[in-house]
Every structure is written in C-alpha cells, then in structure tokens.
Amino acid sequence: MTSNDVLAMFRDAGALLEGHFRLTSGLHSAGYLQCALVLQHPAKAERLGRAIADRVRPLAPTVVLSPALGGLIIGHEVARALGVRALFVERVDGVFALRRGFTLAPSDRVLVVEDVVTTGGSTRETAMSATDAGASVVGAAAIVNRGAAGDIGAPFVALAELRLPNWDAAACPLCAQGAALVKPGSRPASAA
Ligand SMILES: [Zn+2]
C-alpha cells in the first residue's frame, strides 16, 4: 500500500478536510484528517492495520499500545494482524495512564500505534507510559505522518506522508483573518 493509495482512501472517504483547525498538538492548520471517516469502514481499517503490521513485523512487537481515542481502532487492527494484544492509554488528570486492569511486563516489546502524527507529542507520551510501566518500546507507527514527528527514541513507520501547513496559534494567518476555529480532535482543548 503506497502513500498515494492511503491518501486516495482518505480523499474517497471525505476525510481530508479544509478549513481552520486546532490540532490535538495545539497547532493551527488549514487542513485536517478526520480518520474516523476512513476507519468507520472495518474493511478499510483492517487493510490499513495489515499494511502497518507488514512494515513493523521485523521489530517483533509483543503488544500494541495506543493513545485513546484516536489510536484505538487502528491499534486494534494492527494488533489483530500481528496476533498480539491491543492496549490503550487514557488521560488521567492530563497524563496518559494504563487503566482497566491493563498491564505491561518487562519482557513486553511495545509498538505505539496512532492514527495521525503531527508533532509526535502523544506518541512520545504513550511511549513514556510504556517505559514507566517497565516495558521496552521497539517502535511507533501511524497511518499518516503530517508533520515532523521528531525523535521518539525508536523506529517510526507511517503508511503515508502528508505535508499541510501548521502554525503556532500566535502566528496563524487564519486567526489573523478572523476565521472561525474548529477543534475536531479527540482531546479537549483545556487538556491540550
Ligand atoms: Zn488559527
């Protein structure tokens, strides 16, 4: 599955939105990827999960860990394709934590899976929660890398690359024009 195949899937699902968006990272952008519109089709989610699994299999992960809510569906599909567990972290007082009785063992080789990575902030936070639990992080993966993911301290794989302009709020030209801001991400603005 090439980067263009993946982006075509997003275009076909109407998941490539144009406007004035506040991303989960806090950056503002003229474009947004609404992954839920692709992942609402289980067959597409499964295909994307298999494609990521094929790329990360050499890392020999024993568990997938995703940040809620955005990473849940694709994380589950990657885990299904790899035949490993699918765990997720949730924010407790603003910090990602393992809940619901989920555990990681020191022998666990964790793959962090997200839908879209922009700054890599939540990927790094998710990886940190795995290492805090005593496991090792062997890699991270996303459907789309739309920014500079930065160093997460492990190999990073994305099925597609999409460069959309992002700005700090203070430098956002759309804010300067007074355009209404949409916050489509999964994280409440107050916790970002
Ligand atoms: Zn703005």
Side-chain angles (χ1 to χ4, degrees):
M1 190 180 268
T2 66
S3 184
N4 282 340
D5 292 338
V6 174
L7 295 177
M9 197 183 271
F10 274 75
R11 268 191 294 274
D12 292 348
L16 274 173
L17 310 181
E18 292 183 359
H20 179 204
F21 303 99
R22 185 186 186 284
L23 306 179
T24 305
S25 58
L27 299 176
H28 288 201
S29 179
Y32 185 74
L33 291 166
Q34 184 51 274
C35 279
L37 292 177
V38 173
L39 299 175
Q40 68 178 322
H41 303 288
K44 289 180 178 167
E46 185 180 19
R47 257 184 84 199
L48 291 166
R50 278 206 205 122
I52 290 176
D54 288 345
R55 300 271 300 273
V56 301
R57 203 167 271 115
L59 301 172
T62 62
V63 60
V64 166
L65 184 63
S66 298
L69 191 64
L72 288 194
I73 293 172
I74 189 60
H76 196 263
E77 290 297 339
V78 173
R80 184 208 304 274
L82 291 171
V84 303
R85 289 187 297 154
L87 309 189
F88 54 89
V89 288
E90 302 163 80
R91 290 199 179 277
V92 178
D93 296 329
V95 180
F96 278 140
L98 284 168
R99 302 182 67 194
R100 302 169 195 270
F102 286 154
T103 56
L104 288 170
S107 58
D108 272 323
R109 298 169 57 81
V110 175
L111 176 74
V112 176
V113 175
E114 284 212 74
D115 51 1
V116 176
V117 167
T118 303
T119 63
S122 57
T123 290
R124 277 188 292 275
E125 266 189 83
T126 303
M128 201 179 305
S129 66
T131 51
D132 285 350
S136 54
V137 175
V138 296
I143 304 170
V144 181
N145 175 19
R146 57 160 295 177
D151 184 16
I152 65 141
F156 173 71
V157 164
L159 292 182
E161 303 285 332
L162 181 66
R163 292 294 174 267
L164 295 166
N166 307 319
W167 309 279
D168 287 327
C172 175
L174 298 172
C175 281
Q177 291 167 20
L181 182 65
V182 176
K183 301 169 186 169
S186 58
R187 192 190 305 177
S190 59

